[in-house]
Amino acid sequence: MPSPASHLEDSSRGLASIRTLALVGPAGAGKTSLLEALLLQAGSITQAGSVERGSTVSDHDPLERKLQHSLHTSLAHFEHGGLRIHAIDTPGAADFIGQSLPALEAADTAVVVINAQSGIEPMAVKMMETAAQRGLCRLIVINKIDTAELDLPGLLTQLREVFGRECLALNLPAAGGSRVLDCFFNITGQADFSSVGTAHQALVEQVVEVDAAFVERYLNEGDVDPRELHAPLEQALREGHLIPVCFTSARSGAGVAELLDVIARLLPNPAEGNPPQFLRAQGAEGAEPLLAKPDPNAHVLAHVFKITGDPYLGKMGILRVHQGTLTRNSQLFVGHGRKPFRVGHLFLLQGNKHVEVEQALPGELCAIAKVDELHYDAVLHDAPEDEHIFLRPLEFPVPVHGLAISPARHGDEQRLWEILNRLVDEDPCLKLEHSGQTNETVVYGLGELHLRMLLERLREGYKFEVLTQPPKVAYRETISAAAEGHYRHKKQSGGAGQFGEVYLRIEPLARGAGFEFVDAVKGGTIPGQYMPAVEKGVRSALESGVVAGYALVDLRVTVFDGKHHAVDSKEIAFVTAGRRALIAAVREARPLVLEPMVHIEISAPATAVGDITGDLAARRGQVNGTKVGDSSAPGAITVQALAPLAELSSYQTRLNALTSGQGRYTLQLSHYESVPPNIQTQLMAAYKASDEVD
């Protein structure tokens, strides 16, 4: 390994020898197998593993091997033609998009892998659009071209229809998909469809359009040597003016060597891609763009795009260096942190193997372990003045699929909370809450599969058994009429007694107004020193509820009279009197049970809209409208509705059944409104029964 000094002396050559790409796209497209084929072709491994046998480099987690599909982002690197290529393998299931999206923050090129048989799927669309928003160069790889009965020309046409005319074939399958022919540097060859010459002409014309001088040469000479087009090609990739399409079969190896050459010869190095979208905060006035330069001699800026727990090294932050040179023994700050930490060890990752290195240049992906302050989205820097720099945040889907979790063994609550926090740290699309109203620990994810895998990790990885159930709905209680309540608390037990008497009035307030407490006592019938005790008793009843066991809201309580005893009156007496007086008043004030209503937005294929709206109506939902053109899939429609949260338990399972797994939804709390009378009767009866048992 060269010393940092010698490395910096040759920094320009160092940057030119780096490629960083993220393999993204739908589940089943063959991303993991394609990376395995690239590693084999580059000589990094001597034998290709398989997903089925659980022997691939990137699917190294025991659960991934058991289930035979990717659950986590995994890194690998390989050498080819004097280059170091960093590759990120990502899961393709929509439930694990919290793992996949951050990979786009670490790469210069998004390699969107598409199954030749399945065609364009929602995850491919999502990744293409996010990559474009982040300014990444994009390369489409059509994999599994050796599958029988394919319509590859039709798929290429569909790509252009969905993603634009910028999608052009960089190579074409030949000999029945057993090999591919380059169309950028070659002008002749017998392809399975189309023409190498035609594809070459389309590519050259598309590239030269970004450079007026080359346009003139092309018009005068009829062609331009592709070897002279490196600069305009990189410009076309940066601007999205060209989205190359390659063909491969990871299984047979067709097109893998050619793809490796494309990565090395045509894809951008860290100095050629678009700069990362850093921002510098400017206090309350917002943030301004910051240009991070891939200069190895500048001060360090690096971004943590993944957090993981290693059984031997503990908490590990996986990061991309964007600026400067990161070395062992570097002193770094984490975001706003004022205390630096020392980089004890610096690793390149090869699946689950750690390769220790001395330094990492801009564009390289590496890992730092045993630093508790690291977290997802942290910016690491070596200059205190850079503490306000951050990367423009990604937009993640909101986790709405909830599961209440408790330890199977009493006394393990704290350990459960600690483990869940670790798992949430590793996935931006997991959310953990403790509900004070229902006294439950609830973890939210993107779907049933997402949470099922979390439970598997608890059992398999941490040997921790839990009990689960759907989260309780946080109903509320209120009143619909004014009423008065009275209670006299009198207790005599031989010695000093207890006495307190309270008269109060309650009135309903507007939805969302909360609670008001008014002291209207005159003449000192309740001395001022006891009024806080009365309020404490009232608030106690508000918290526990009266008719159904849920918190009371949106009412005014006015205490207007009472009595005290010079000897026997004590605070506890007025706490009890205040609580009991409120309960008596609520029972006379036509109490109501309120339920949370949520805005639900569902994205699904247009063919399923009728079934979705009918199902929502059966769940007491009100459809507010639909809109065409959602970004999640071609031809998708978004349904907007208002529905009771209680009716949406395990809704993703139902939506999967209605949309063949292609539907997604988000929820946002709207307001509370009264439940129907029959449901209120059920809730009150259940509360009364439980109260009698207690």
Side-chain angles (χ1 to χ4, degrees), residues 485-554:
H486 161 247
Y487 189 79
R488 172 185 287 188
H489 179 71
K490 185 176 183 181
K491 186 176 180 182
Q492 200 74 34
S493 56
Q498 295 180 10
F499 181 86
E501 187 171 6
V502 171
Y503 290 84
L504 55 77
R505 181 184 307 108
I506 60 175
E507 308 164 67
L509 297 178
R511 290 284 181 268
F515 165 65
E516 293 180 15
F517 183 82
V518 179
D519 177 4
V521 174
K522 297 179 180 179
T525 55
I526 300 178
Q529 68 197 68
Y530 294 125
M531 193 56 66
V534 175
E535 183 175 357
K536 183 178 180 180
V538 167
R539 288 186 178 274
S540 172
L542 293 178
E543 291 173 4
S544 61
V546 174
V547 295
Y550 300 101
L552 266 161
V553 296
D554 302 337

Side-chain angles (χ1 to χ4, degrees), residues 17 40 44 77 98 171 202 301 362 526 529 547 625 671:
S17 66
L40 179 65
S44 288
H77 61 276
N171 54 41
L301 281 179
I526 300 178
Q529 68 197 68
V547 295
H671 63 282

Side-chain angles (χ1 to χ4, degrees), residues 52-73:
E52 293 74 20
R53 294 194 303 270
S55 55
T56 62
V57 170
S58 58
D59 278 1
H60 53 81
D61 182 89
L63 268 179
E64 292 178 316
R65 291 172 174 170
K66 176 182 175 181
L67 299 170
Q68 299 184 7
H69 62 76
S70 301
L71 302 174
H72 311 284
T73 298

Side-chain angles (χ1 to χ4, degrees), residues 414-600:
Q414 182 61 33
R415 182 164 178 252
L416 173 62
W417 186 260
E418 291 172 358
I419 295 173
L420 288 175
N421 270 297
R422 287 182 210 164
L423 297 177
V424 169
D425 281 347
E426 297 176 13
D427 190 335
C429 287
L430 285 174
K431 183 177 69 171
L432 183 63
E433 287 184 354
H434 182 79
S435 172
Q437 291 189 42
T438 61
N439 194 30
E440 290 180 315
T441 295
V442 182
V443 61
Y444 293 92
L446 297 181
E448 185 179 346
L449 176 62
H450 198 192
L451 294 183
R452 193 164 71 240
M453 291 304 99
L454 178 137
L455 296 178
E456 285 287 334
R457 290 193 68 188
L458 281 170
R459 284 190 286 262
E460 299 284 340
Y462 292 92
K463 309 301 179 187
F464 196 94
E465 293 296 326
V466 297
L467 305 174
T468 64
Q469 64 181 22
K472 297 175 184 175
V473 176
Y475 292 102
R476 294 177 178 175
E477 297 178 19
T478 193
I479 58 173
S480 59
E484 292 186 358
H486 161 247
Y487 189 79
R488 172 185 287 188
H489 179 71
K490 185 176 183 181
K491 186 176 180 182
Q492 200 74 34
S493 56
Q498 295 180 10
F499 181 86
E501 187 171 6
V502 171
Y503 290 84
L504 55 77
R505 181 184 307 108
I506 60 175
E507 308 164 67
L509 297 178
R511 290 284 181 268
F515 165 65
E516 293 180 15
F517 183 82
V518 179
D519 177 4
V521 174
K522 297 179 180 179
T525 55
I526 300 178
Q529 68 197 68
Y530 294 125
M531 193 56 66
V534 175
E535 183 175 357
K536 183 178 180 180
V538 167
R539 288 186 178 274
S540 172
L542 293 178
E543 291 173 4
S544 61
V546 174
V547 295
Y550 300 101
L552 266 161
V553 296
D554 302 337
L555 72 162
R556 178 185 293 117
V557 177
T558 303
V559 180
F560 62 88
D561 202 359
K563 290 182 181 178
H564 74 286
H565 188 278
V567 176
D568 292 344
S569 285
K570 298 178 177 63
E571 286 189 5
I572 185 62
F574 280 100
V575 169
T576 302
R579 175 181 173 83
R580 295 289 187 174
L582 181 77
I583 291 172
V586 168
R587 288 173 174 163
E588 300 299 321
R590 298 205 301 270
L592 298 173
V593 176
L594 305 176
E595 64 180 338
M597 301 294 292
V598 293
H599 289 296
I600 180 169

